[in-house]
Amino acid sequence: MWPYPKIVAHRGGGKLAPENTLAGLRAGLAYGFRAVEFDVMLSRDGIGMVMHDPEFGRTVAGHGSVAGTDASALAALDAGGWFGPQFRDEPVPYYTQFIDYCKAQRIWMNVEIKPADGHEAATGAWVARITRDSYADELRAGDPAGYPLLSSFSFEALAAARDAAPELPRGYLLDQIPVDWQQQAEQLQAVAIHTNHKHLNPELAARIKAAGYGLFCYTVNDPQRAREILSWGVDGFCTDRIDLIGPAFV
Ligand code: G3P
Ligand code: MG
């Protein structure tokens, strides 16, 4: 039901490095993390880039948008200086760079498909195709523990991912679990529900588990809270506090 790691570094290296950068992956690895969540959005020329916000202004300076800028120009932006001077000129990564790094270091990936508005299906299909092609050997080997897990808040993006690469597992991201969650998850042929731990309760967790789904939470930064949700049957979660909650946390 959940063949994947239990503790996952959020946005690369949590709060110890600029989010969604290779420096973040290095920080995670330095803390022993071989499991990472990050966000992928399409550039203007249709290339998957590791970015959370659709607009500039927070992790990269200036005005503009990911969907309105070519990949090469995005890759030239400074996505690290906002976090600290030692990270200045850390680029916006190509998704393929993240794949290469994670494969080389044997890091499990939870790839959050984060489409800009209006680009849902294109983003879901692109991420699914590239991921499937990059993990062809693992998919052929047939061990689900070696598969990356795609997730998204966008039903449309996940439906497009399902159609483009049905063999890749999908997790449906829901901030609050709606009453028809199972019907939606069935349509997406999802293997897991990913949800905000703040809105979860033991009864809901038990229902999701009893229905046969994996249950993953974001973003859990307090060890006591982490223990509590794990006691409800939650299979895994991502954390920003990779310094407080290690990969072997129980
Ligand atoms: O994938 C879980 C979590 O990352 C969802 O929220 O905004 O941090 O991408 P966000
Ligand atoms: Mg995310």
Side-chain angles (χ1 to χ4, degrees):
M1 222 183 287
W2 187 262
Y4 315 115
K6 184 164 71 172
I7 319 292
V8 177
H10 186 228
R11 301 189 193 176
K15 290 279 187 242
L16 299 194
E19 66 184 55
N20 290 325
T21 63
L22 286 162
L25 293 184
R26 287 194 292 273
L29 208 48
Y31 279 80
F33 274 83
R34 283 207 149 76
V36 67
E37 185 271 359
F38 56 87
D39 309 289
V40 177
M41 197 175 292
L42 288 189
S43 63
R44 178 167 64 186
D45 47 348
I47 310 287
M49 306 299 287
V50 184
M51 275 284 279
H52 182 278
D53 296 5
E55 305 289 333
F56 301 171
R58 187 173 64 87
T59 62
V60 298
H63 298 282
S65 69
V66 177
T69 307
D70 284 346
S72 58
L74 289 168
L77 295 173
D78 170 11
W82 68 279
F83 190 85
Q86 70 275 36
F87 295 106
R88 191 169 301 135
D89 293 332
E90 187 67 36
V92 175
Y94 287 86
Y95 173 41
T96 50
Q97 288 179 293
F98 259 45
I99 292 176
D100 290 346
Y101 190 89
C102 288
K103 291 198 78 165
Q105 299 293 340
R106 300 187 322 280
I107 298 171
W108 178 77
M109 308 192 306
N110 171 202
V111 185
E112 186 187 340
I113 303 165
K114 194 73 124 180
D117 284 349
H119 299 268
E120 288 81 3
T123 311
W126 190 93
V127 169
R129 274 199 310 272
I130 293 289
T131 310
R132 180 200 51 208
D133 292 350
S134 304
Y135 282 82
D137 289 345
E138 289 79 359
L139 288 164
R140 213 172 298 117
D143 177 7
Y147 301 177
L149 177 61
L150 308 184
S151 60
S152 190
F153 288 106
S154 165
F155 184 95
E156 198 184 340
L158 277 186
R162 173 203 62 204
D163 294 344
E167 63 271 52
L168 283 173
R170 289 167 296 285
Y172 191 22
L173 266 162
L174 294 160
D175 181 44
Q176 299 204 43
I177 312 250
V179 284
D180 64 342
W181 68 269
Q182 193 169 353
Q183 196 190 330
Q184 292 190 52
E186 278 169 17
Q187 284 174 25
L188 293 171
Q189 294 162 9
V191 299
I193 298 297
H194 296 211
T195 196
N196 188 338
H197 74 95
K198 292 181 179 157
H199 307 306
L200 189 65
N201 59 59
E203 293 72 31
L204 205 42
R207 275 212 297 283
I208 293 166
K209 293 304 302 169
Y213 290 89
L215 179 57
F216 183 82
C217 283
Y218 65 88
T219 301
V220 186
N221 297 327
D222 173 41
Q224 206 177 318
R225 177 63 171 168
R227 269 180 218 105
E228 182 177 37
I229 61 163
L230 290 172
S231 79
W232 298 345
V234 166
D235 294 298
F237 62 84
C238 57
T239 182
D240 287 323
R241 293 303 306 269
I242 62 171
D243 52 336
L244 280 184
I245 302 176
F249 180 85
V250 281

